[in-house]
Amino acid sequence: MQTTQQIQRTDIEPHMSALQGWLRGNIVGMYAGLKMKNGKQTDQYAVVLHVEYKKSPDRLALDGDTPIPPYFELPFPQSGGGHVMVNVPTDVQEIGPIDIKYPARERKAGDPGDFERPCPGGYQIQAAGLPSYGTLGANIKYNNKYRMISCNHVISCNGMYTDVYQPDMTEQYYYLTQVTDYVKLTTYPTKDQQDPYYNTVDFAWCNIAATSGSPEIQDIGVPTGFAAPAVGMEVSYFGAVTNEVTKTSIKSTTYQGIINVFGDRYAWFKNMINLTDHYAVPGDSGAVLVNNNMEIVGMLQSVTLLRSLACTIPDCDEIFAERENQTV
């Protein structure tokens, strides 16, 4: 067996899809990352598994959960051909419940929860009829039109809502724009779905007038376009509830996990962006990640106490354009 000290992140990542069957119930996320020991990061790469709660063997048996083994035996290719079986260690990390609880928001004049026109990225938005709120990601040229972009679960919920208000729906003159279209999210009623579909983006967009939406992102600037995320990349975002620029970095672009959406539904995701720090709070979803070149590389999607995840921005390819042309 190859020793675990020689394993690299890029050795593990090609095998992560084969481990997707572990994602259900209490196991809500996984990625190839550095193992933690006694609260400190080691230099040993492992399959990191996020659980809502760490449980004793007796509790696992009582709940019907499968114990996570100390390692997974995975086939690694050899330079001369063939494969060698390698014991890749696991690292079980407790992140707490993934069900999102939105706190009451105390709005103050001049903060991102206030009314603003033209509204910049980073400000609070709400879909009419949806009790929760989120963040206006950015107003930018996307698929050859000026658009407001945010999360599907923030402004649309798979077409359940269409009118978007800023900062909220308490006043009619707060109306901002209407949802043009969204990328559908496949969801399930529980976290125990067998063979679920894996989503890759949580994205919706609105055509918006320049008088309503500013191209600026609060305290960050005007993004120049889009780029692909990368491990180690430094990024910034402005969430409406955090109410300040958060600087962090990307530690995985192949995260797989179960996300709570629409209040009472669950969605499986792959190829998510896992952020190094966990400063975001509920209501920051929809904020865009901007790299040091002022390019948008992702959109904040899921926030829990010890897990901050983002999705990539879908490409403006011909299939995407055809989907919009079919929208009535």
Side-chain angles (χ1 to χ4, degrees):
M1 289 288 181
Q2 180 177 329
T3 63
T4 54
Q5 291 291 342
Q6 297 172 296
I7 298 173
Q8 300 299 312
R9 172 180 56 81
T10 50
D11 293 326
I12 303 172
E13 286 181 333
H15 302 280
M16 293 303 296
S17 60
L19 302 175
Q20 286 178 347
W22 285 87
L23 279 175
R24 61 180 184 272
N26 189 48
I27 304 174
V28 294
M30 61 169 62
Y31 71 103
L34 292 171
K35 188 178 179 71
M36 300 289 290
K37 188 173 183 179
N38 298 324
K40 295 182 179 180
Q41 184 174 279
T42 70
D43 60 357
Q44 184 178 81
Y45 279 97
V47 176
V48 180
L49 295 108
H50 282 166
V51 298
E52 291 189 285
Y53 305 101
K54 285 189 175 180
K55 301 179 180 181
S56 67
D58 289 345
R59 188 72 218 184
L60 286 170
L62 186 64
D63 293 344
D65 291 328
T66 303
I68 297 171
Y71 62 85
F72 290 121
E73 192 176 41
L74 301 176
F76 283 19
Q78 293 182 295
S79 57
H83 295 78
V84 61
M85 300 306 293
V86 178
N87 286 344
V88 178
T90 59
D91 185 21
V92 181
Q93 298 178 7
E94 184 179 75
I95 64 165
I98 64 171
D99 290 345
I100 301 298
K101 306 298 181 186
Y102 285 85
R105 177 77 193 273
E106 180 183 353
R107 213 164 74 224
K108 299 177 182 178
D111 76 8
D114 199 14
F115 175 83
E116 184 73 16
R117 296 292 183 276
C119 188
Y123 268 62
Q124 179 180 302
I125 54 176
Q126 184 178 34
L130 185 64
S132 60
Y133 46 82
T135 298
L136 192 165
N139 301 300
I140 191 171
K141 189 174 182 181
Y142 183 77
N143 198 21
N144 298 317
K145 290 183 181 179
Y146 191 57
R147 325 265 188 174
M148 186 199 87
I149 59 174
S150 188
C151 288
N152 175 352
H153 84 265
V154 169
I155 60 174
S156 177
C157 295
N158 281 352
M160 292 178 61
Y161 309 102
T162 55
D163 292 334
V164 181
Y165 288 77
Q166 191 285 314
D168 55 42
M169 59 181 176
T170 57
E171 300 286 349
Q172 183 57 39
Y173 75 88
Y174 287 168
Y175 175 80
L176 181 65
T177 185
Q178 192 171 67
V179 176
T180 302
D181 208 350
Y182 57 89
V183 178
K184 182 180 178 181
L185 282 172
T186 298
T187 68
Y188 303 94
T190 74
K191 292 175 286 185
D192 290 306
Q193 181 68 31
Q194 295 291 326
D195 299 319
Y197 173 81
Y198 277 76
N199 301 277
T200 56
V201 299
D202 183 350
F203 188 74
W205 66 98
C206 311
N207 295 338
I208 194 168
T211 52
S212 297
S214 167
E216 190 113 6
I217 298 175
Q218 177 83 339
D219 293 343
I220 291 178
V222 177
T224 58
F226 301 90
V231 172
M233 178 183 286
E234 296 178 343
V235 295
S236 302
Y237 63 85
F238 195 106
V241 179
T242 302
N243 193 15
E244 64 182 7
V245 175
T246 298
K247 296 182 181 294
T248 183
S249 62
I250 296 173
K251 62 180 177 181
S252 176
T253 59
T254 57
Y255 188 95
Q256 302 174 146
I258 305 173
I259 312 299
N260 175 238
V261 292
F262 307 162
D264 59 354
R265 304 284 293 183
Y266 299 93
W268 274 249
F269 278 85
K270 64 180 179 179
N271 299 331
M272 296 191 83
I273 300 167
N274 188 19
L275 298 175
T276 301
D277 300 302
H278 313 291
Y279 303 127
V281 294
D284 287 345
S285 294
V288 293
L289 309 181
V290 180
N291 67 16
N292 291 338
N293 295 324
M294 291 302 294
E295 297 165 315
I296 296 173
V297 300
M299 178 176 288
L300 198 64
Q301 194 271 350
S302 176
V303 178
T304 62
L305 183 62
L306 296 174
R307 185 178 76 167
S308 293
L309 303 175
C311 289
T312 55
I313 307 295
D315 292 333
C316 299
D317 55 21
E318 293 180 3
I319 296 175
F320 200 83
E322 287 175 4
R323 172 177 169 79
E324 184 176 27
N325 291 335
Q326 294 168 359
T327 301
V328 178

